[in-house]
Amino acid sequence: MLFAAESAGADWELHYGGRSRRSMAFLEHLEETAGNRVNLHPQDEVGLIDLEKILGTPRPETLVYCCGPEPLLKAVEQSCAAWPEPSLHMERFSPKELGAPPRTDSFEIELATSGLTLTVPPDRSILDVVEEAGIAVLSSCQEGTCGTCERPVLEGDVDHRDSLLTPAEQATNDTMFICVSRAACPRLVLQL
């Protein structure tokens, strides 16, 4: 990502935290190639990353990309709460914890392109039902973290169960990740 930012001429900085320098990958390479744009935060030397100092004041036209363990992601989300949408981009390696779905019964999906209407039972994903009907859909993680199975929503309300979309993106109800997200209504119409 840093090389892509550099190639694009972007002004960037990296804040890299870890338990200790020994546990932090690519340190020598980062220090050699990026120099003072890399800020190291080994916890055993400096404590936790000072997110208030780094993210406490929103900066217009600045994007924040973050990956790491869930406690760090939650702290960064809180620190960026006042930043304009969509400044923050998160990459999770496991899905967010979500509460119970609003619907626990079956629902229908109409597939606009193929003309099929299918029933999705409570114990199966839309992806499973669509694939069983013979429609190939690209997918990878099947836990709502990669974005591969994203499909446009033409009608209906979505129960977003993914770990990718921001609350503002979810509110538009125009896309969903069919490996984990479900209907929040009796019927969804998907571009599929």
Side-chain angles (χ1 to χ4, degrees):
M1 192 181 325
L2 296 179
F3 297 121
E6 189 73 32
S7 295
D11 184 19
W12 62 269
E13 63 186 67
L14 171 67
H15 291 271
Y16 181 16
R19 294 189 192 278
S20 68
R21 286 180 190 271
R22 283 191 333 261
S23 68
M24 297 167 71
F26 309 113
L27 280 188
E28 288 181 21
H29 182 69
L30 286 170
E31 291 174 322
E32 287 172 10
T33 59
N36 63 357
R37 294 175 124 183
V38 175
N39 301 281
L40 301 178
H41 304 272
Q43 187 175 354
D44 64 343
E45 296 175 28
V46 299
L48 296 175
I49 298 173
D50 187 350
L51 295 177
E52 179 59 31
K53 180 179 175 186
I54 300 166
L55 301 171
T57 303
R59 290 179 263 164
E61 312 274 328
T62 298
L63 301 176
V64 176
Y65 289 85
C66 183
C67 66
E70 191 61 26
L72 172 66
L73 299 178
K74 285 180 182 178
V76 169
E77 282 179 320
Q78 290 173 343
S79 296
C80 288
W83 286 60
E85 283 280 339
S87 298
L88 179 59
H89 304 270
M90 306 290 266
E91 182 177 345
R92 286 185 158 79
F93 300 111
S94 60
K96 284 193 236 184
E97 289 186 30
L98 300 170
R103 294 180 57 95
T104 57
D105 56 344
S106 297
F107 58 91
E108 286 189 343
I109 52 169
E110 179 183 332
L111 308 180
T113 304
S114 62
L116 293 175
T117 298
L118 306 169
T119 299
V120 180
D123 61 337
R124 305 219 25 235
S125 71
I126 294 172
L127 177 64
D128 289 340
V129 170
V130 167
E131 288 181 332
E132 186 177 271
I135 298 171
V137 178
L138 290 177
S139 67
S140 182
C141 73
Q142 297 190 13
E143 58 183 21
T145 58
C146 75
T148 306
C149 69
E150 183 174 13
R151 302 305 314 158
V153 176
L154 304 177
E155 291 178 34
D157 296 321
V158 178
D159 172 20
H160 293 282
R161 314 296 293 170
D162 65 89
S163 298
L164 294 161
L165 297 176
T166 67
E169 290 168 331
Q170 290 178 351
T172 65
N173 263 332
D174 62 0
T175 191
M176 72 184 297
F177 300 96
I178 64 172
C179 67
V180 292
S181 294
R182 302 187 61 77
C185 60
R187 182 182 181 91
L188 285 176
V189 180
L190 304 177
Q191 186 70 45
L192 192 61

